[in-house]
Amino acid sequence: MTFKICSEDWTSKVKKVSGILTPLLLAVAALSSLTGGAPARRFELLAESPQFWKLLDHHAQLTTVAKGFGFTEGPVWDPSGFLYVSDEEINKIFCVYLADGRKEEVLSLGDPDGNTYDRERHLIDCASVLRAIIQVEPQGHYKILADRYQGKRFNSPNDVIIGPDGAIYFTDPTLDLVKGEKQEIPFQGVYRLEAHGEVRLLTKDLTQPNGLAFSPDGKKFYVDDSQQRNIRVYELMPDATLANGRIFGEEPGGKGDGVPDGIKIDKDGNLYVTGPKGIWVWDEQGHHLGTIAMPEQPANLAWGDADYGTLYITATTSVYRLPTKAHGFVPYLPTSK
């Protein structure tokens, strides 16, 4: 049963009516480039392997769901016909309705970041300014689930997922540590939060851990490092510890191109990782299959629609939709096991 915070059920109204990125928009972007603005970016599907086209159609269209945000993050799709979206600059979490892009404020707080549902469909958020993992509740309230490790405050929790055991897993870099506040934990960790509130450190190997994901079989755990521009993979052991960590892939790029951030996985184990200029697609052996180049730099993404065959992408000031041939693995769904 969905834990519903937004006020309307728009299930019957969900239609793909958002505007397609038109040649006119691309021409405007190109003109901006010629007149001294940033280099023009556009949507493209850039294959590195024929396998890429088994996941995405050659003629797939990117469409705009909503725009006019400060900086979008943490999308979570809800079957009632909306996305939860964090806006790190406006300092709010919104419901964004897919039928018309309408925004409805859910919660106002400093720098909300990654989000997920838990198994009971509570919305879980990384509240960077609070330096906490919170559970979002109705009427604009929240409950702090954890804000310390061994008595010391977290840095700035960034992204969060539900593990195969139902526990909450999250990253804690210093990327959004409030200026002037002290870093109390002398490293940037990856943690597991159990139902009774115990926080367990899984690894402190990464410089700035960010996005994270589990393989569909629950045996592999992926975490990317925004500073090192790489993705690591670990084996998840039966006691929920990590072992045999190694570099899975690297996403090099220039200044301003974007860095590894959000990660999602499809049911066949392929990874979709935001990175320089778009979303990098990897197979489970660590081969870069291709890149979904985006008109704005993406930070995160989520699977949605009835068959989980659509990627919803938070990219700077906008939210986009891209249909895929692949179908998403959604770890908080019992049927995803």
Side-chain angles (χ1 to χ4, degrees):
M1 181 176 179
T2 299
F3 179 83
K4 198 168 187 305
I5 297 170
C6 292
S7 62
E8 296 184 60
D9 185 344
W10 278 42
T11 305
S12 62
K13 300 184 181 181
V14 178
K15 298 178 182 178
K16 295 187 177 180
V17 296
S18 300
I20 296 175
L21 293 175
T22 64
L24 176 60
L25 279 174
L26 301 181
V28 171
L31 179 61
S32 174
S33 172
L34 292 173
T35 56
R41 292 177 58 151
R42 60 175 181 155
F43 167 65
E44 291 184 278
L45 298 176
L46 306 173
E48 300 286 342
S49 164
Q51 183 69 21
F52 186 71
W53 300 119
K54 294 182 179 180
L55 307 177
L56 292 146
D57 189 275
H58 285 78
H59 305 293
Q61 294 287 325
L62 184 76
T63 58
T64 304
V65 174
K67 55 188 178 180
F69 296 91
F71 187 90
T72 55
E73 248 286 6
V76 175
W77 179 80
D78 188 276
S80 295
F82 63 85
L83 291 171
Y84 287 112
V85 174
S86 295
D87 192 318
E88 294 191 45
E89 288 195 4
I90 296 177
N91 297 318
K92 297 180 187 295
I93 298 174
F94 291 101
C95 281
V96 178
Y97 289 94
L98 302 180
D100 60 1
R102 182 173 61 88
K103 308 177 186 78
E104 178 181 305
E105 181 180 330
V106 174
L107 181 65
S108 179
L109 78 166
D111 197 2
D113 210 316
N115 299 301
T116 186
Y117 274 144
D118 66 12
R119 292 277 176 83
E120 287 72 43
R121 301 299 190 278
H122 299 111
L123 184 67
I124 309 300
D125 172 70
C126 293
S128 298
V129 171
L130 291 177
R131 302 168 72 165
I133 300 296
I134 65 172
Q135 178 178 302
V136 180
E137 300 184 326
Q139 288 79 52
H141 301 299
Y142 64 85
K143 175 172 66 177
I144 292 177
L145 301 180
D147 61 358
R148 284 171 168 77
Y149 172 66
Q150 295 184 343
K152 297 179 180 179
R153 297 179 72 194
F154 294 138
N155 301 315
S156 57
N158 188 283
D159 209 353
V160 58
I161 60 172
I162 300 303
D165 52 4
I168 295 171
Y169 291 74
F170 65 97
T171 54
D172 185 41
T174 55
L175 296 170
D176 294 314
L177 182 62
V178 176
K179 185 177 180 180
E181 291 197 4
K182 179 182 178 182
Q183 181 180 356
E184 298 182 16
I185 300 172
F187 52 81
Q188 290 71 250
V190 181
Y191 297 92
R192 177 180 186 270
L193 171 60
E194 298 183 358
H196 61 271
E198 180 187 353
V199 176
R200 184 196 303 180
L201 176 66
L202 298 177
T203 181
K204 54 181 179 180
D205 293 344
L206 292 89
T207 307
Q208 292 290 357
N210 198 325
L212 67 174
F214 283 98
S215 61
D217 63 8
K219 295 180 179 180
K220 294 179 181 177
F221 181 64
Y222 301 93
V223 188
D224 61 32
D225 190 319
S226 291
Q227 183 168 318
Q228 299 300 321
R229 293 179 178 267
N230 61 33
I231 306 158
R232 291 177 182 258
V233 60
Y234 299 84
E235 293 178 28
L236 183 69
M237 308 307 288
D239 62 352
T241 58
L242 303 182
N244 302 320
R246 61 179 178 84
I247 301 296
F248 171 82
E250 301 195 22
E251 296 187 348
K255 185 177 180 180
D257 284 347
V259 297
D261 198 334
I263 304 176
K264 292 298 179 288
I265 293 184
D266 68 26
K267 288 186 174 180
D268 293 322
N270 302 296
L271 281 73
Y272 303 72
V273 186
T274 61
K277 299 183 179 180
I279 299 165
W280 292 43
V281 182
W282 302 81
D283 69 14
E284 58 184 348
Q285 284 77 43
H287 301 125
H288 178 208
L289 303 180
T291 300
I292 303 166
M294 294 288 295
E296 298 181 81
Q297 180 57 37
N300 218 326
L301 61 169
W303 295 104
D305 292 351
D307 62 351
Y308 293 95
T310 300
L311 282 173
Y312 287 96
I313 304 158
T314 48
T316 314
T317 65
S318 305
V319 179
Y320 296 94
R321 173 198 287 116
L322 180 67
T324 66
K325 293 181 179 179
H327 299 279
F329 167 67
V330 183
Y332 53 77
L333 296 178
T335 55
S336 294
K337 289 185 176 180

